[in-house]
């Protein structure tokens, strides 16, 4: 700390230390006010005293740490996530944290089996990923909740139709077995999404493993490795949507028309990503059939009308062309069943109330 | 930690909370005439209410922002000072708070004096 020349400088330093912690708009006024205050205090304490030298130090000590004083001047709340949201934040952080941990561990397990790198190197990578994923998890969950806090989402109002005074009639019906969403089911679904994501996308192990004759395993990926890497952001989006869909299900807890609509919306978004991924077919491995032929798994017989190459090739073409259609069909069936389950729960609730 | 210091600590904490609630009424009660911050500290101290300048000054600003106080800088004197005064809203709120306060002290007295009675 630079030497203090005189009292005036010490006071200036103190006032600056306070006002520099405050919003610019209030600084000038508070600066003036504090100077006045310190002078008043000095004046009061100087009466009947000789040793004026320690006066300023005494006054400033009494006013306390400038950070503390500044905090009293700031009226806005100084927290990211307030007590109302904190419980929920903690639960979400734990669930997401555990899921991330499982994802990273699965990836590590796969690498242990398949990767040629040394085990030490893999363990180092594993610890690195744990750290990285941990930081991302905490950061994203915190950011989302900080935004909720900032925009004034109240924990008690989440999932409520009407704002204002709570009434017992808002209590959700006890879900019937068919309409109830099991927490374990949702968690397992989330784990599977992460599992598939790690295996099929992150590790790019989506393909066929062949063991022809005495040769070692041949791996032929379904996807074009380079393109998949370019599409990574889409896959991340896809994973996020899948997990969001499960999270909404968990949150609402039973099949209702509202949940069926949310799920439909999530599926619509998911389908749009599928369209981006699959529309131009560039994501599929262009040399898949050639690799398959080279591995000896299929054979070509030019003279015969059909051979294994032609058959597999036809199936491969159909998969590439119709992938979107197949996905769309599955989604339509699933969503229809969601709405059916929602009506079932609705009817039975009515029955219960009537009876 | 022995029992005595523990109860001392508890009482200190609880007293601080009680005082915090009364501070605003104390401040409003002294602002029918304009006062600047430090004169208010002295006036309140004379009447037995100890308040740090570091607590009072920010409180005055908050009350002004809520519209309970009006303020004006007096720059005529050698040392410029910010004077605070009850606004119309402040007067109304203060009067009603006083009524509420008296009601509350009545109730509290009833509770404390009546404690132990069947």
């Amino acid at each position: 700390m630079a030497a203090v020349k005189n009292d005036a400088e010490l006071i200036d330093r103190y006032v600056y230390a306070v006002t520099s912690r405050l919003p610019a708009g209030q600084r000038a006024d508070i600066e003036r006010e504090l100077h006045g205050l310190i002078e008043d205090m000095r004046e009061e304490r100087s009466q009947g005293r000789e040793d004026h030298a320690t006066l300023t130090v005494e006054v400033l000590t009494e006013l306390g740490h400038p950070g503390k004083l500044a905090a009293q001047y700031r009226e806005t709340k100084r927290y990211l996530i307030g007590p109302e949201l904190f419980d929920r934040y903690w639960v979400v952080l734990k669930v997401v944290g555990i899921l991330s941990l499982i994802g990273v561990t699965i990836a590590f397990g796969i690498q242990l089996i398949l990767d040629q790198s040394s085990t030490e190197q893999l363990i180092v990578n594993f610890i690195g990923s744990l750290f990285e994923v941990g930081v991302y998890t905490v950061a994203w969950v915190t950011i989302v909740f900080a935004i909720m806090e900032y925009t004034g989402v109240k924990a008690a109002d989440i999932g409520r139709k009407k704002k204002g005074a709570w009434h017992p009639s808002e209590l959700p019906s006890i879900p019937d077995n068919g309409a109830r969403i099991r927490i374990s089911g949702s968690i397992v679904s989330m784990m599977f999404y992460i599992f598939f994501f790690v295996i099929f996308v992150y590790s790019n192990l989506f393909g066929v493993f062949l063991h022809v004759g005495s040769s070692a395993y041949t791996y032929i990926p379904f996807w074009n490795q380079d393109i998949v890497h370019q599409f990574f952001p889409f896959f991340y989006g896809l994973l996020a949507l899948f997990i969001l869909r499960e999270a909404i299900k968990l949150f609402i807890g039973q099949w209702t028309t509202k949940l069926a609509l949310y799920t439909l919306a999530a599926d619509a978004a998911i389908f749009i990503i599928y369209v981006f991924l699959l529309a131009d077919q560039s994501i599929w491995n262009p040399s898949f059939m050639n690799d398959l032929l080279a591995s000896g798994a299929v054979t070509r017989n030019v003279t015969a009308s059909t051979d294994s190459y032609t058959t597999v090739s036809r199936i491969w073409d159909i998969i590439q062309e119709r992938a979107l259609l197949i996905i769309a069909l599955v989604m339509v069936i699933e969503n229809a069943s969601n709405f059916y389950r929602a009506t079932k729960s609705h009817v039975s609730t009515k029955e219960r109330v009537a009876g | 930690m022995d029992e005595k210091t523990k109860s001392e600590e508890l009482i200190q904490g609880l007293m601080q909370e009680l005082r915090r609630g009364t501070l605003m009424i104390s401040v409003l009660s002294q602002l029918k005439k304009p006062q600047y911050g430090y004169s208010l500290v002295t006036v309140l101290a004379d009447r037995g209410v100890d308040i740090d300048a570091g607590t009072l000054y920010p409180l005055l600003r908050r009350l002004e922002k809520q519209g309970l106080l009006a303020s004006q800088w007096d720059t005529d004197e050698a040392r410029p000072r910010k004077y605070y005064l009850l606004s119309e809203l402040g007067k109304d709120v203060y009067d009603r708070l006083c009524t509420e306060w008296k009601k509350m002290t009545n109730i509290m007295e009833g509770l404390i004096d009546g404690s132990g009675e069947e």
Side-chain angles (χ1 to χ4, degrees):
Chain A
M1 189 180 155
V4 182
K5 285 181 206 137
N6 49 40
D7 284 357
E9 193 187 327
L10 198 61
I11 293 169
D12 284 344
R13 282 189 186 184
Y14 186 84
V15 172
Y16 176 77
V18 176
T19 53
S20 62
R21 290 173 160 92
L22 294 170
Q26 298 177 12
R27 274 180 205 161
D29 204 51
I30 290 174
E31 187 184 325
R32 227 167 143 193
E33 192 176 80
L34 281 179
H35 271 294
L37 169 67
I38 292 165
E39 284 311 314
D40 282 336
M41 287 172 85
R42 269 162 52 96
E43 191 180 277
E44 192 209 44
R45 279 162 184 68
S46 70
Q47 279 157 18
R49 275 179 52 162
E50 298 294 316
D51 56 333
H52 285 197
T54 56
L55 207 59
T56 307
V57 175
E58 260 181 53
V59 166
L60 296 186
T61 313
E62 193 186 318
L63 282 174
H65 193 286
K68 220 177 131 193
L69 184 57
Q72 284 188 289
Y73 267 111
R74 265 189 315 245
E75 47 223 276
T76 48
K77 51 185 181 177
R78 298 294 290 175
Y79 48 73
L80 269 181
I81 297 154
E84 270 197 67
L85 281 175
F86 191 80
D87 285 344
R88 215 173 269 265
Y89 166 71
W90 195 235
V91 170
V92 171
L93 193 60
K94 275 193 282 191
V95 170
V96 177
I98 290 168
L99 288 173
S100 317
L101 183 72
I102 291 168
V104 175
T105 313
I106 292 170
F108 174 61
I110 293 166
Q111 280 181 331
L112 267 187
I113 298 164
L114 294 171
D115 206 310
Q116 308 298 320
S117 319
S118 72
T119 312
E120 289 84 5
Q121 185 55 47
L122 289 176
I123 289 172
V124 169
N125 290 349
F126 174 58
I127 293 167
S129 326
L130 272 184
F131 181 73
E132 196 180 341
V133 168
V135 169
Y136 276 126
T137 303
V138 174
W140 278 110
V141 174
T142 308
I143 287 169
V144 168
F145 271 83
I147 291 170
M148 281 165 77
E149 180 71 49
Y150 186 75
T151 53
V153 176
K154 290 200 172 57
D157 281 341
I158 294 171
R160 282 183 66 189
K161 277 184 207 140
K162 294 173 285 189
K163 306 293 176 216
W166 178 83
H167 191 271
S169 65
E170 287 176 36
L171 285 170
S173 60
I174 298 166
D176 291 289
N177 277 338
R180 190 165 143 204
I181 288 154
R182 290 179 195 287
I183 294 175
S184 52
S186 275
I187 301 269
V188 168
S189 300
M190 286 194 211
M191 276 167 57
F192 267 107
Y193 293 138
I194 293 171
F195 185 75
F196 286 130
F197 178 78
V198 170
I199 295 184
F200 290 165
V201 184
Y202 196 72
S203 312
N204 200 3
L205 289 177
F206 187 40
V208 285
F209 290 85
L210 292 169
H211 188 51
V212 182
S214 57
S215 67
Y217 279 101
T218 318
Y219 167 59
I220 307 169
F222 288 140
W223 282 340
N224 184 336
Q225 318 267 351
D226 303 328
I227 298 288
V228 165
H229 277 278
Q230 287 173 25
F231 278 149
F232 257 18
F234 288 106
F235 281 107
Y236 276 115
L238 210 53
L239 180 69
L241 279 168
F242 273 126
I243 287 177
L244 178 72
R245 195 177 62 174
E246 285 309 313
I248 295 170
K249 276 186 349 256
L250 262 183
F251 197 87
I252 295 185
Q254 62 173 311
W255 283 106
T256 59
T257 315
K258 198 162 102 187
L259 176 57
L261 284 171
Y262 283 152
T263 313
L264 184 65
D267 278 353
I270 288 168
F271 190 73
I272 288 169
I273 295 186
Y274 278 138
V275 171
F276 273 109
L277 289 174
L278 301 173
D280 70 349
Q281 296 181 17
S282 66
I283 196 169
W284 302 103
N285 183 0
S287 61
F288 181 78
M289 283 316 297
N290 286 338
D291 291 350
L292 211 56
L293 195 63
S295 75
V298 292
T299 48
R300 203 170 200 165
N301 189 342
V302 194
T303 49
S305 58
T306 57
D307 52 27
S308 54
Y309 176 85
T310 321
T311 313
V312 175
S313 175
R314 198 169 292 150
I315 295 170
W316 176 239
D317 285 344
I318 289 173
I319 290 172
Q320 290 187 66
E321 284 162 16
R322 307 276 163 84
L324 271 178
L325 187 71
I326 295 164
I327 290 169
L329 267 176
V330 171
M331 278 184 162
V332 166
I333 292 166
E334 205 183 302
N335 277 286
S337 114
N338 291 347
F339 277 100
Y340 170 72
R341 281 195 273 190
T343 52
K344 208 174 91 179
S345 110
H346 190 59
V347 168
S348 60
T349 312
K350 268 186 184 164
E351 278 165 1
R352 206 200 317 265
V353 170
Chain B
M1 194 190 298
D2 59 60
E3 282 297 305
K4 206 175 170 190
T5 49
K6 200 180 169 190
S7 67
E8 272 311 306
E9 243 174 53
L10 273 173
I11 288 170
Q12 262 184 18
L14 293 168
M15 276 310 293
Q16 202 181 349
E17 277 178 44
L18 276 180
R19 221 177 288 128
R20 196 179 299 154
T22 62
L23 219 47
M24 199 226 336
I25 302 182
S26 315
V27 168
L28 293 181
S29 74
Q30 301 304 310
L31 286 175
K32 285 176 180 155
K33 275 184 281 177
Q35 299 258 25
Y36 63 93
Y38 200 66
S39 65
L40 201 52
V41 174
T42 357
V43 169
L44 286 170
D46 288 346
R47 295 180 171 243
V49 179
D50 281 324
I51 180 169
D52 293 339
T55 309
L56 179 69
Y57 276 60
L59 175 63
L60 286 170
R61 285 183 164 267
R62 265 197 289 283
L63 293 174
E64 187 191 2
K65 205 175 175 193
Q66 289 173 325
L68 298 171
L69 299 180
S71 77
Q72 206 173 2
W73 277 98
D74 179 6
T75 47
D76 293 344
E77 289 173 58
R79 194 175 300 151
R81 277 164 176 157
K82 197 177 187 182
Y83 279 83
Y84 289 93
L85 179 72
L86 275 183
S87 67
E88 285 306 312
L89 177 72
K91 278 179 202 159
D92 181 47
V93 167
Y94 172 67
D95 286 342
R96 283 160 72 177
L97 275 177
C98 285
T99 319
E100 292 297 326
W101 175 258
K102 279 171 189 154
K103 245 193 255 173
M104 210 196 287
T105 48
N106 271 338
I107 294 169
M108 289 307 297
E109 269 168 31
L111 284 175
I112 294 167
D113 296 342
S115 68
E117 278 177 21
E118 285 302 304

